């Protein structure tokens, strides 16, 4: 019987398996950032251990950084101290840091791929649940907690039980204006916020294969929002074309060798999955979430479910969510006014996202009373945007193009959405308070966010292009 | 940790994500201590104001206390922040009971000697009903026997735990100790790897 992409990578990384217990899994790449690493470095100090393979660790500062005036000292003391601690720890333990001001700095899940540090066939971890993003390259990539960060720093290994495998195939053609973000929001709405817990998901099918690497990263990024440990996509010519020539991608003979290895990775035709799900692309509309978990979403032409339509058991949680959001059950999504538009986060802050938005807003102005923040995922994305004149388009539209970081994705740094305000956001979580205490998040694609930016409301991009 | 008998606090909501357990703005600390006071911060206080506890939120109910937290399905989803497990532990809980745990949270909890006990939906319902009827009702969790019991009516259910993790919890040792003990084997593995993975 054939093996899946996941199994091929997993098998190549098992150091040993404990009887009746987990496996010791070797980790190729470890990304760290300021928020989930300080306690891990402390642990190393307490145990008197070094970082075992510093060359396999890459650090950046993203969660807790301001997105304006990055050349100035960080105003907020605790944030400043946390970012400084990362600098101190990386220096002391010999870890490469792309910190504030470095041309490679950015959101950890944006910089790994764009630098060519992320590669097919690898095991990749980071103390951040959206590490699944890197799975777009055909790697096993997943988020870990701080104790596990310490384990990987100390031993380059983790104890892991093999997850079950699910394949989600999306076949057909996407309608114009429907993006990778809509595909994944549609899948999560189908499966629910815990629907893939315990699974690793392989995304397949003609729609997935037709996506750019940026689109594939958007899809894999949100795997965790249905509870999956991670998501991955078989590497193909699109993957290789994206990787070639990246700063840390292999070159010369090493590239050729890597390429022949990568070509062996896709799941064999007779490989078996524990669960299969088929999705028809023609069922996918531009999506918007209306609730407080990413599974509470619907097509933009739809209504929020009416209470009476829902099974009895779901009503309490649904009502609580709708009440938090200040929305009514049965209400149409289209036409709902918004106050803020956030285009950014590791889900949708890559150059392709910015290009799409710029193309749509060129020559238009933001709606009155709407605040629009565009936050590039990395210094490299920011640089490309300026070189391509995208910054000018945004300026003329009245958008503010900020500096790279997680920004309003998580309500930790200075960029927060005020209480009670609606923010249409290209990020990945609409949890209560995620973007700031009592902020109301509506998740959507960059194009749907752009529509809201120029009209001040939720609208259907398909009617405008 | 072998056996715990205690009263419990019930927060029946489903899909409790780690942003609720500990909001991101409290993740600026660089040590593992002190997160308990901000556990469920935004559900606990009106407008982030400690002098205005939200009436009706279980942590603000003096009758609801104990070292066991009982929560609705899909507990701990969302962010991988281990601060969530630290906050629950620091507040004084030793066990979390739910009918479903998010994977990363489960690992984080186990790595901090916080025991996640997964029960059936029906048994969770039963526990929640019992606590609703009598906030002073006790629960008994026996790690050795892998059972959870509601002593008031004698009903019980078994729960799963990975045998390796069980040994760790019973003996108080952790994964890092184990991994460090096999470092020579890890070095051998590294030497045997194809260069295409380096
Ligand atoms: S952008 Fe948001 S989801 Fe992504 S790493 Fe930063 S905080 Fe996490």
């Amino acid at each position: 019987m054939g093996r899946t992409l996941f199994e091929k990578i997993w098998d190549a990384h098992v150091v040993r398996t404990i009887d009746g217990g987990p496996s010791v899994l070797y980790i190729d790449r470890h990304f760290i950032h300021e928020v989930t690493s300080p306690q891990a470095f402390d642990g190393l100090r307490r145990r008197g251990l070094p970082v075992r393979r510093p060359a396999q660790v890459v650090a950046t500062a993203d969660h807790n950084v301001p997105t304006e005036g990055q050349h100035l000292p960080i105003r907020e003391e605790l944030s400043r101290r946390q970012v400084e601690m990362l600098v101190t720890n990386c220096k002391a333990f010999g870890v490469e840091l792309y910190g504030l001001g470095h041309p490679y700095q950015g959101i950890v899940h944006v910089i790994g791929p764009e630098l060519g540090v992320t590669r097919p066939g690898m095991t990749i971890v980071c103390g951040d649940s959206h590490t699944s993003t890197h799975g777009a390259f055909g790697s096993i990539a997943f988020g870990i907690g701080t104790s596990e960060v310490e384990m990987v720093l100390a031993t380059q290994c983790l104890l892991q039980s093999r997850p079950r495998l699910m394949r989600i195939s999306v076949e057909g053609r996407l309608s114009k204006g429907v993006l990778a973000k809509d595909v994944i929001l549609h899948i999560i709405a189908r499966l629910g916020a815990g629907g893939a817990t315990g699974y690793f998901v392989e995304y397949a099918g003609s729609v997935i294969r037709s996506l750019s690497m940026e689109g594939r990263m958007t899809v894999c990024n949100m795997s965790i929002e249905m509870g999956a440990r991670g998501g991955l996509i078989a590497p193909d010519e699109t993957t290789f074309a994206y990787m070639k020539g990246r700063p840390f991608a292999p070159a010369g003979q090493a590239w050729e060798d890597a390429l022949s290895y990568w070509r062996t990775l896709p799941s064999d035709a007779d490989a078996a999955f524990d669960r299969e799900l088929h999705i028809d692309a023609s069922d996918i509309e531009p999506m918007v979430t209306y609730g407080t978990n990413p599974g509470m979403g619907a097509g933009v032409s739809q209504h929020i479910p009416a209470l009476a339509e829902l099974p009895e058991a779901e009503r309490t949680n649904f009502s609580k969510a709708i009440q938090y959001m200040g929305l009514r059950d049965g209400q149409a999504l289209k036409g709902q006014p918004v106050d803020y538009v956030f285009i950014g986060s590791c889900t949708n802050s890559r150059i392709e996202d910015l290009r799409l938005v710029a193309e749509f807003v060129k020559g238009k102005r933001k709606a009155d009373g709407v605040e629009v923040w565009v936050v590039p995922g990395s210094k490299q994305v920011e640089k490309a945007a300026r070189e391509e004149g995208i910054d000018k388009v945004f300026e003329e539209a009245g958008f503010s193009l900020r500096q790279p970081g997680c920004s309003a994705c998580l309500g930790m740094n200075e960029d927060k959405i005020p209480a009670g305000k609606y923010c249409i956001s290209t990020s990945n979580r609409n949890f209560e308070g995620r973007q700031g205490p009592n902020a109301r998040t509506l998740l959507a694609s960059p194009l749907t966010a752009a529509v809201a930016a120029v009209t001040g409301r939720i609208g259907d991009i398909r009617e405008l292009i | 940790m072998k056996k715990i008998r205690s009263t419990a606090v019930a927060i029946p909501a489903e899909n409790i994500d780690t942003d609720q357990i500990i909001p991101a703005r409290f993740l600026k600390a660089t040590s593992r201590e002190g997160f308990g006071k901000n556990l469920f911060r935004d559900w606990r206080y009106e407008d982030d104001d400690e002098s205005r506890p939200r009436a009706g939120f279980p942590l603000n109910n003096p009758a609801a206390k104990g070292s066991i937290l009982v929560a609705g399905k899909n507990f701990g989803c969302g962010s991988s922040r281990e601060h969530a497990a630290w906050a629950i532990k620091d507040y004084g809980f030793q066990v979390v009971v739910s009918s479903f745990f998010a994977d990363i949270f489960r690992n984080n909890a186990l790595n901090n000697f916080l025991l996640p006990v997964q029960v059936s939906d029906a048994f969770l319902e039963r526990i929640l009903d019992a606590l609703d009827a009598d906030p002073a009702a006790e629960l008994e969790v026996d790690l050795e026997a892998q059972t959870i019991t509601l002593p008031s009516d004698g009903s019980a259910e078994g729960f799963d735990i990975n045998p390796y993790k069980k040994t760790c919890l019973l003996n108080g040792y952790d994964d890092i100790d184990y991994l460090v003990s096999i470092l020579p084997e890890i070095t051998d593995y590294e030497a045997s790897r194809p260069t295409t993975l380096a």
Side-chain angles (χ1 to χ4, degrees), chain B residues 85-155:
Chain B
W86 299 337
I88 294 171
K89 197 78 205 276
D90 190 55
Y91 186 85
F93 293 114
Q94 289 176 275
V95 175
V96 189
V97 180
S98 175
S99 59
F100 205 74
F101 289 96
D103 284 329
I104 306 183
F105 178 81
R106 181 197 299 270
N107 284 347
N108 287 340
L110 287 167
N111 283 330
N112 289 281
F113 302 95
L114 172 68
L115 179 64
V117 173
Q118 185 164 327
V119 296
S120 65
D121 284 321
F123 197 68
L124 180 66
E125 196 69 50
R126 192 172 188 135
I127 298 174
L128 289 172
D129 287 347
L131 291 172
D132 205 31
D134 174 15
E138 287 187 317
L139 287 172
E140 186 173 283
V141 174
D142 185 337
L143 174 58
E144 201 120 52
Q146 294 180 223
T147 54
I148 173 164
T149 312
L150 201 52
S152 56
D153 68 2
S155 61

Side-chain angles (χ1 to χ4, degrees), chain A residues 331-405:
Chain A
Q331 175 191 333
L333 284 168
K334 223 159 81 179
Q336 167 65 38
V338 305
D339 308 294
Y340 282 77
V341 177
F342 171 58
I343 296 169
S345 91
C346 57
T347 318
N348 283 118
S349 63
R350 297 182 179 80
I351 189 65
E352 184 184 274
D353 301 310
L354 270 46
R355 277 184 198 136
L356 268 173
V357 172
E359 199 186 328
F360 175 75
V361 303
K362 198 172 172 122
K364 301 188 179 75
R365 276 288 299 174
K366 77 173 179 68
D368 287 341
V370 176
E371 182 90 27
V372 186
W373 295 342
V374 184
V375 184
S378 70
K379 285 306 258 191
Q380 306 253 73
V381 172
E382 184 187 357
K383 185 163 159 257
R386 291 192 193 284
E387 282 167 6
E388 295 176 23
I390 288 174
D391 57 331
K392 294 279 167 330
V393 175
F394 289 160
E395 209 174 288
E396 281 158 22
F399 296 8
S400 98
L401 178 65
R402 302 169 81 102
Q403 292 174 303

Side-chain angles (χ1 to χ4, degrees), chain A residues 12-13 16 20 26 28 39 47 52-53 76 79 82 128 145-147 151 159 198 410 412 429 432 434, chain B residues 17 19-20 24 27-28 31 43 78-80 82 100 103 108 163-164 174 176-178 185 189-190 193:
Chain A
H13 288 83
R16 72 145 80 162
Y26 190 80
D28 297 314
Q39 295 87 348
R47 293 170 200 259
R52 186 174 144 78
R53 297 285 177 238
E76 215 262 331
S79 303
Q82 198 173 50
D128 186 282
T146 297
S147 296
M151 283 171 217
L159 284 161
L410 90 162
M412 173 166 197
R429 286 190 174 138
E432 286 183 30
R434 172 76 180 182
Chain B
D17 59 78
D19 275 82
Q20 306 318 314
L27 309 188
K28 298 180 186 192
S31 82
W43 285 359
S79 153
S80 64
E82 194 162 315
F100 205 74
D103 284 329
N108 287 340
Y164 162 82
D174 63 20
I176 305 190
D177 298 331
Y178 174 79
E185 197 178 326
Y189 165 84
E190 285 175 320
R193 284 154 56 80

Side-chain angles (χ1 to χ4, degrees), chain A residues 62-63 107-109 128 130 221 345-346 406 409-410 428 434:
Chain A
D62 54 4
H63 284 65
I107 304 174
V108 63
H109 311 310
D128 186 282
H130 294 99
N221 174 274
S345 91
C346 57
C406 294
C409 174
L410 90 162
N428 44 44
R434 172 76 180 182

